[in-house]
Amino acid sequence: MAPVDASMRKKVLRVIFVSLLLDLISFTFILPLFPKLLEFYRNSEAGPGSRTTVLARILDGLNTYKSSFSRPIDSRYDIVLLGGALGSLFSLLQAIASPIIGHLSDKYGRRTALLASMAGNILSVLLWVVAVDFRTFLASRIVGGLSEGNVQLATAIVTDISDENNRGSTMALIGACFSIAFTFGPALGAYLSSIGTVAANPFATAAAVSLSLIVTETLYLYIALPETLPLKTEKRSAAKSATESAPATRTNSHTLLNAVHFLFLLFFSGMEFSLPFMTYDLFKYTSSNNGRLLGYIGLVASVLQGGVTRRLPPLLTVRLGVGACLVAFAVLTRADTVRSLYIAATCLATTSATVVSGLNTLASFEASADERGGKLGILRSWGQLGRGLGPILFTSVYWWAGRELAYTMGSAGLLVVSILVFAGLKAPPGSVKKRVPSAKKEL
């Protein structure tokens, strides 16, 4: 691929950073609202005499599942279980949609695919704005799960405009957007939910602001984002011949990268989802306590993304994060003090700032320009499958057998991931920056 002009690269990076930040802040609005939002729908639709509603049938199924555990599960977790089920549904829908979105971006261009994805996002948030019943809200989550492609397409775009020397630092930009959005977005969403405008939907204000951010992002992308796929640019024929004559050299198989991504998120997302349960059981943490804990993780991850991750080679980044996750599992297995909890949280922040962005960077080295969107989409699909199944499997073990066995099994799973990462993955040519020796002064 021909080198991208420096001014063009700077422009595209600015557009991607601003648009992705808007997108992720909008996306994180709803995260702290899930308990109250689902409680609102439960109180209005799942009371006595309402057993035929969609929500009532879902809660009946969850209660049947909950009653199968040997350990009693407090009814306060009903809403948490429902929120986890919706989160898993969203991730599983992403696992289906991501490869399709990626292949479409390879065929029709990144810009076209991204704008189509944004149209689906607008519809999803619009359904949330008018969601006076749970059925409409569920439709909003389904549409969002099937259409959300911003992160994977942003990854493909920054790869299109980066070379081997700056790809890792460019990828870290996406991780920085995540960290910033998850630090400030949930708090803003919680504040907006306190402003009532529509009695039938108490969360309409937060939803409306979220919709305004998504519409603004879409207009900004339409106006400012150029096409970055080499085969769709003005030098189409030259880029096409260059791509065909120089296929990507494989250092790591995509099968191995997909397996690492799936297994890692299977265990990591399970631990993430179980953390509020564990902190309640051990330390009687409230929502505000957990909010401070998650805020600490987001803040540390932001600092690492900005100051450390972007300077490290991608393989070292993945190894650092997987190692930190293994330590976190080991600490949480025996944690009995708040100090040990925050030690594990620091390790989790390190993991959040490194592994996924590092795997995306490694995968980008293994794909030529005309297949990059599809390969990155498949990688994301496997990760989302792990993220969808992890909470269900991990919390099942947690409630059946207790914390120690659940986290011990998680440690064993991360040990397998560590073996694959340290013994299986290799650094692609060009992913490690070569130091240029300084010229010695002549006497």
Side-chain angles (χ1 to χ4, degrees), residues 232-286:
K232 290 287 180 181
T233 58
E234 292 180 359
K235 298 181 179 179
R236 178 179 303 179
S237 57
K240 185 175 181 179
S241 61
T243 302
E244 291 175 348
S245 60
T249 302
R250 301 280 193 259
T251 304
N252 301 297
S253 74
H254 285 284
T255 301
L256 177 59
L257 289 167
N258 293 337
V260 169
H261 201 202
F262 168 74
L263 290 173
F264 166 72
L265 282 178
L266 181 72
F267 295 107
F268 179 73
S269 64
M271 173 172 58
E272 251 187 340
F273 185 70
S274 71
L275 201 58
F277 296 90
M278 193 205 74
T279 56
Y280 173 76
D281 288 338
L282 292 181
F283 310 114
K284 304 303 178 186
Y285 263 27
T286 62

Side-chain angles (χ1 to χ4, degrees), residues 27 39 68 72 194 293 397:
F27 177 80
E39 185 178 358
S68 67
S194 66
L293 177 65
V397 176

Side-chain angles (χ1 to χ4, degrees), residues 249-396:
T249 302
R250 301 280 193 259
T251 304
N252 301 297
S253 74
H254 285 284
T255 301
L256 177 59
L257 289 167
N258 293 337
V260 169
H261 201 202
F262 168 74
L263 290 173
F264 166 72
L265 282 178
L266 181 72
F267 295 107
F268 179 73
S269 64
M271 173 172 58
E272 251 187 340
F273 185 70
S274 71
L275 201 58
F277 296 90
M278 193 205 74
T279 56
Y280 173 76
D281 288 338
L282 292 181
F283 310 114
K284 304 303 178 186
Y285 263 27
T286 62
S287 297
S288 60
N289 294 131
N290 280 323
R292 284 194 291 271
L293 177 65
L294 296 176
Y296 170 77
I297 293 174
L299 181 61
V300 173
S302 298
V303 173
L304 291 174
Q305 284 281 4
V308 179
T309 303
R310 66 187 183 89
R311 293 185 171 92
L312 297 178
L315 181 57
L316 178 58
T317 300
V318 175
R319 287 175 173 174
L320 175 64
V322 170
C325 192
L326 189 57
V327 173
F329 263 108
V331 172
L332 290 174
T333 301
R334 300 289 181 180
D336 55 4
T337 64
V338 173
R339 180 183 177 184
S340 59
L341 175 64
Y342 271 82
I343 291 174
T346 304
C347 293
L348 290 177
T350 304
T351 301
S352 298
T354 52
V355 177
V356 173
S357 62
L359 285 174
N360 277 316
T361 306
L362 287 175
S364 71
F365 278 98
E366 312 298 343
S368 55
D370 61 340
E371 63 176 0
R372 190 171 291 140
K375 294 297 185 184
L376 291 175
I378 292 172
L379 178 74
R380 179 172 172 80
S381 174
W382 280 102
Q384 290 299 312
L385 181 61
R387 192 176 285 281
L389 296 177
I392 299 172
L393 298 177
F394 198 87
T395 51
S396 296

Side-chain angles (χ1 to χ4, degrees), residues 126 203 353 376 411:
L126 183 60
F203 306 94
L376 291 175
S411 299

